Amino acid sequence: MRIKEGFVLREVAGQNVVIATGEASKTFHGMIKLNETGRVIWEGLAAGKSDDQIVADLTSAYDVSAEKAAADVAAFVKQAADQGFLA
């Protein structure tokens, strides 16, 4: 799964936010604030990484077990899919 075209991650005033651009901005009019874990997951999805690769990124960057990281990735992916951010 990948992030749909038109959604971009930016740092604004020290906060990680996702905004819609172009065609995506016609249907999404808000902003999503992500914590650091969410940023890593979003960037992994945007790069076309597998869930396992994103879990590896999280476990190497943070003091978190692979099981917890996998659960976080699965929850994030489900929510992003439910909200229509994934292609």
Side-chain angles (χ1 to χ4, degrees):
M1 296 202 141
R2 291 184 69 104
I3 301 296
K4 280 186 180 176
E5 188 173 326
F7 292 99
V8 295
L9 173 65
R10 296 288 184 256
E11 186 175 321
V12 178
Q15 300 291 317
N16 299 304
V17 295
V18 174
I19 57 171
T21 63
E23 289 295 314
S25 67
K26 292 180 180 177
T27 57
F28 183 78
H29 306 287
M31 181 182 326
I32 304 164
K33 182 177 164 186
L34 300 176
N35 63 17
E36 287 300 312
T37 301
R39 180 189 56 80
V40 171
I41 297 170
W42 184 276
E43 289 176 339
L45 291 170
K49 291 184 177 182
S50 71
D51 289 2
D52 290 339
Q53 291 171 313
I54 298 169
V55 167
D57 290 345
L58 289 171
T59 58
S60 68
Y62 302 102
D63 183 23
V64 63
S65 70
E67 294 78 18
K68 173 66 173 139
D72 288 348
V73 170
F76 188 101
V77 168
K78 181 183 180 333
Q79 189 171 13
D82 289 349
Q83 296 299 317
F85 298 125
L86 300 181

